[in-house]
Amino acid sequence: MSSVSLVALGSTPVGELPKVLWPALVDSVVMTGVSFVLSVLIGIPLALILVVSAPDGLRPSRLIYAALGWVVNVGRSLPFIILLIALIPVTRMLVGTAIGVAGALVPLTVGGAAYFARLAEAAIREVPRDVVDVALASGSTLWQTARKVLLPEALPGLLSAATVLAVGTLAFSAMAGAVGAGGLGDLAIAYGYLRFDNTVTFATVILLIVIVQVVQVCGDLAVRIASAHR
């Protein structure tokens, strides 16, 4: 019997799946959660700068808008696997390694922040200009207007954008498993592909689908709550 056949017969028993899936799930949750939070914290200021410095913004600056827009476009236009490889020197400099969970955080954050910045920019632009003008006319500074008017008024759109970011980050974290980042993607490759273990493959796919559905439902609920309290 060939070695491939022997490996194919070595499917993980269903009862052993939790032991196999749990560590990978924890890694995926850590990668997704940490990079998601960092992406939002970086992406919102970038979005505000883009909105304010736009030609029709509160403080137009063609140079700032063009330069920042170019950087954001580069970050979100590269396929994630290419971005991950291109940032290996930066990742090693920042976290000391380019593999494992820590090694995936830098490219996940860079790509996520650029992606979220554009989504958040679109949400903030939906705030009526007259609302902003009233705040400025009442004596609010640019920072106060952004903090007390732009962000609260754009909150439903920002939450919707954050939901899209969370789902995308989970997908990217699974893709990072192809280069040894750990998590469910790494498990699917190491067991499902290299060991021909269809049981682990199907379990990983189902688990990812469930997580995405939960994230989407929670995000939609948050958007409805925010919209009701505007």
Side-chain angles (χ1 to χ4, degrees):
M1 186 179 293
S2 67
S3 58
V4 170
S5 297
L6 287 172
V7 174
L9 292 175
S11 296
T12 301
V14 175
E16 296 295 320
L17 281 177
K19 296 180 181 179
V20 175
L21 290 173
W22 180 251
L25 176 60
V26 171
D27 285 349
S28 288
V29 169
V30 171
M31 280 190 290
T32 302
V34 173
S35 58
F36 168 79
V37 171
L38 292 175
S39 296
V40 170
L41 292 178
I42 296 172
I44 287 181
L46 292 178
L48 286 172
I49 295 173
L50 286 169
V51 171
V52 170
S53 64
D56 59 345
L58 301 178
R59 296 289 188 277
S61 174
R62 189 176 301 274
L63 177 61
I64 294 177
Y65 184 77
L68 184 57
W70 183 84
V71 172
V72 169
N73 287 339
V74 169
R76 73 190 184 102
S77 63
L78 292 177
F80 179 71
I81 192 68
I82 296 177
L83 180 65
L84 191 152
I85 295 172
L87 289 177
I88 284 179
V90 178
T91 302
R92 284 177 176 163
M93 180 180 65
L94 293 177
V95 298
T97 180
I99 60 175
V101 173
L105 291 179
V106 173
L108 282 172
T109 300
V110 170
Y115 184 61
F116 183 71
R118 283 302 187 189
L119 295 177
E121 178 192 7
I124 295 172
R125 286 184 180 277
E126 293 296 320
V127 178
R129 181 60 183 261
D130 56 351
V131 175
V132 178
D133 290 339
V134 168
L136 291 173
S138 65
S140 296
T141 64
L142 187 60
W143 163 245
Q144 290 172 333
T145 301
R147 183 169 58 89
K148 297 181 179 181
V149 178
L150 287 177
L151 293 181
E153 289 292 325
L155 184 57
L158 292 174
L159 290 174
S160 180
T163 303
V164 175
L165 172 66
V167 173
T169 302
L170 177 63
F172 289 152
S173 71
M175 192 184 304
V179 293
L184 293 172
D186 185 45
L187 178 67
I189 293 173
Y191 278 77
Y193 178 70
L194 297 179
R195 302 186 185 183
F196 300 91
D197 192 333
N198 291 330
T199 302
V200 171
T201 299
F202 293 147
T204 302
V205 170
I206 292 173
L207 186 56
L208 285 170
I209 292 174
V210 170
I211 294 173
V212 168
Q213 293 300 318
V214 171
V215 170
Q216 189 65 55
V217 169
C218 292
D220 291 343
L221 178 60
V223 171
R224 287 198 297 270
I225 294 174
S227 298
H229 287 81
R230 288 180 63 178

